[in-house]
Amino acid sequence: VGGLEVSVSQSALVGIEAAFEQLHSYPWYCTEQLSSRLLPVVATSSLAKSFGVETPAVGDTKTADLISQIVSRQRSSGGFVLWNDSYTELPWVSAYATWVLSEAKRRGEPVAEDVLARASQYLSGLVNEQQATELDWVYGVSALDVLAGLGHAQRADLDRWFEARERLPLFGRALLLHALWASEGTQVRARSLQRELENAIHLDGEIARVSENVGDKYLVVFDSPVRT
């Protein structure tokens, strides 16, 4: 950048190439797994181009195919199902798939506007519906975070979720923080929530940990202490 030459070792280049090949040959196909495959594929493509690494000739085709497979899981509601033959949209998977597709589009991949528009409508429904369970609160904040990234989060919704943040587990509050920082006029509340989350981080030498006694109630949204 700006005339600065970056030297990359041969072993690093081999590592990038190997990672790209592994991502394109990843063999599992539920919507969450397809999304988890697509996200690093589009990021790795940018990385490979930055370092002059030749990506597989079928790379662009496979990326477009991945997007097509994920989009085929979208239903008329705008939400996404887990498998091709599934009938029920899953809130967490819908938020995740929408976020990954939006990231792919941001990097120039072919994602249709109407796909994201319908997904946004579905996510808005999750934010505004009655939160009857702890999982409903997590579904709602994950949807709110994705909407904020798309520029569609409403200030009233952000304020309401901030006031109710004690209902969220730590990773849910982290998603809310992300949504607040991505939105206009909410930085004061973002800084307040940031301080709360920082206080939940415990340093042990060079290792940072967060601990929260939530049992297995959030396993359905792939909860783990490592991710938190």
Side-chain angles (χ1 to χ4, degrees):
V1 178
L4 175 67
E5 292 185 5
V6 179
S7 176
V8 182
S9 68
Q10 186 61 37
S11 60
L13 292 176
V14 170
I16 294 172
E17 291 170 339
F20 199 93
E21 291 286 359
Q22 289 173 17
L23 288 168
H24 273 297
S25 60
Y26 186 73
W28 292 283
Y29 298 102
C30 80
T31 303
E32 182 275 326
Q33 291 163 331
L34 288 171
S35 300
S36 292
R37 180 180 173 190
L38 175 62
L39 183 65
V41 161
V42 295
T44 305
S45 297
S46 300
L47 182 66
K49 291 174 183 176
S50 298
F51 288 112
V53 175
E54 289 294 328
T55 57
V58 293
D60 291 342
T61 301
K62 285 194 173 184
T63 300
D65 183 56
L66 272 176
I67 292 171
S68 178
Q69 289 182 68
I70 296 170
V71 170
S72 73
R73 312 285 174 89
Q74 189 178 38
R75 297 298 180 255
S76 59
S77 67
F80 291 80
V81 296
L82 195 60
W83 300 98
N84 272 330
D85 56 356
S86 300
Y87 294 99
T88 304
E89 301 90 333
L90 298 182
W92 181 269
V93 169
S94 296
Y96 185 52
T98 303
W99 173 63
V100 171
L101 288 173
S102 69
E103 286 296 300
K105 184 174 180 61
R106 187 167 67 86
R107 289 171 169 82
E109 300 297 340
V111 180
E113 285 287 353
D114 70 302
V115 169
L116 295 178
R118 288 188 290 120
S120 294
Q121 290 181 340
Y122 174 84
L123 296 182
S124 294
L126 294 179
V127 171
N128 292 302
E129 71 181 12
Q130 181 67 36
Q131 280 74 40
T133 69
E134 292 171 313
L135 275 174
D136 287 339
W137 283 98
V138 168
Y139 295 152
V141 78
S142 66
L144 184 63
D145 181 33
V146 176
L147 288 170
L150 291 168
H152 297 158
Q154 300 298 312
R155 176 63 184 272
D157 292 329
L158 292 163
D159 289 343
R160 180 168 64 89
W161 283 85
F162 178 81
E163 295 298 335
R165 64 192 181 282
E166 293 300 325
R167 295 178 177 269
L168 297 169
L170 285 174
F171 73 85
R173 279 176 255 176
L175 292 174
L176 177 58
L177 174 61
H178 195 252
L180 290 169
W181 274 119
S183 304
E184 293 290 335
T186 55
Q187 275 61 51
V188 172
R189 289 191 159 183
R191 291 189 184 94
S192 175
L193 181 53
Q194 179 181 329
R195 288 191 293 270
E196 292 177 15
L197 288 175
E198 286 173 347
N199 289 335
I201 299 173
H202 306 286
L203 298 179
D204 180 11
E206 296 183 348
I207 298 174
R209 293 189 176 91
V210 290
S211 60
E212 189 175 27
N213 186 22
V214 295
D216 60 359
K217 68 176 68 175
Y218 297 113
L219 285 182
V220 69
V221 294
F222 310 103
D223 178 42
S224 74
V226 173
R227 187 182 67 181
T228 300

